[in-house]
């Protein structure tokens, strides 16, 4: 079995223009018209490739299914006179995956809608009662990687420049993935609610701090990106639990090239 993921990019403009941008599906089709709305939909299907063609599913079938079935539905939500800010997002995600399941022979296992470059909603066919909400954040902090039990020479050998006695800084990027129940009205927790919890539990404690000096959790714990991801998860999971939200995964980027995710192997 394989999993195939296709990203479909499109704009929702007030006046639907299905022909606009059909020559540039890389950017978006329909293309942007004036001040429109841009989204990405990532559709993941699972199945067995055909032994002759090597195809499990023609990606054009996914593009067609999104543009023929999902886009007209989304257009009705942003139509003049409607208020898209009040749309029940849990119900919307259920509808999107259902609309795709019929034309794609029920091979769709998950759908992820990128509402901004930093905020995404995902629904999985195995759990239609929840939406996974992903939101990103940034904080600036200094740290020094140092183990007191080791000699200065050993510390320099293991940690290199990161052992600099005065420390050094990073702009850390954080992504949280939260499992939100869909209520009877089709709503899920708002991203504002998640932002508030992250602000209280994480940003207040870490932003513009020297992790070794200012943060108790790192008084006797080396502030590696691995330990930072775990500490953030442990703080946030408790606060989320009180709000009936399940924190699934925390990812921390120390640089654009280095990311640590905790716990491992929870979500794909
Ligand atoms: Ni560092």
């Amino acid at each position: 079995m394989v999993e195939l993921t296709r990203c479909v990019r499109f704009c929702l403009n007030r006046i639907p223009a299905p022909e606009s941008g059909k020559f540039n599906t890389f950017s978006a089709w329909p293309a942007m018209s004036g001040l429109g709305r841009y989204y990405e939909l990532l559709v993941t299907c699972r199945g067995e490739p055909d032994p002759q063609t090597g195809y499990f599913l023609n990606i054009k079938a996914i593009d067609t299914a999104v543009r023929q079935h999902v886009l007209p539905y989304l257009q009705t939500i942003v139509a003049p006179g409607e208020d898209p800010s009040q749309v029940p997002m849990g119900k919307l995600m259920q509808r999107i995956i259902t609309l795709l399941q019929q034309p794609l022979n029920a091979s769709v296992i998950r759908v992820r809608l990128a509402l901004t470059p930093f905020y995404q909603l995902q629904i999985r066919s195995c759990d239609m009662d929840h939406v996974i909400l992903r939101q990103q954040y940034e904080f600036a902090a200094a740290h020094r990687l140092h183990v007191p039990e080791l000699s200065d020479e050993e510390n320099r050998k293991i940690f290199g420049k990161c052992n600099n006695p005065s420390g050094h800084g990073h702009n850390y990027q954080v992504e949280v993935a939260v499992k939100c129940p869909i209520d009877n009205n089709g709503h899920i927790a708002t991203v504002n609610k998640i932002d508030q919890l992250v602000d209280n539990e994480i940003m207040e404690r870490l932003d513009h701090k020297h992790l070794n000096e200012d943060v108790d959790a790192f008084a006797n714990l080396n502030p590696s990106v691995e330990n930072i991801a775990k500490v953030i998860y442990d703080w946030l999971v408790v606060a989320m639990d009180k709000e009936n939200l399940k924190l699934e995964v925390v990812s921390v980027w120390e640089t654009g090239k280095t990311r640590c995710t905790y716990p491992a192997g929870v979500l794909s």
Side-chain angles (χ1 to χ4, degrees), residues 143 145 162 168-170 172 254:
H143 73 163
L145 299 182
C162 300
H168 63 279
H170 294 280
Y172 290 94
E254 189 166 63

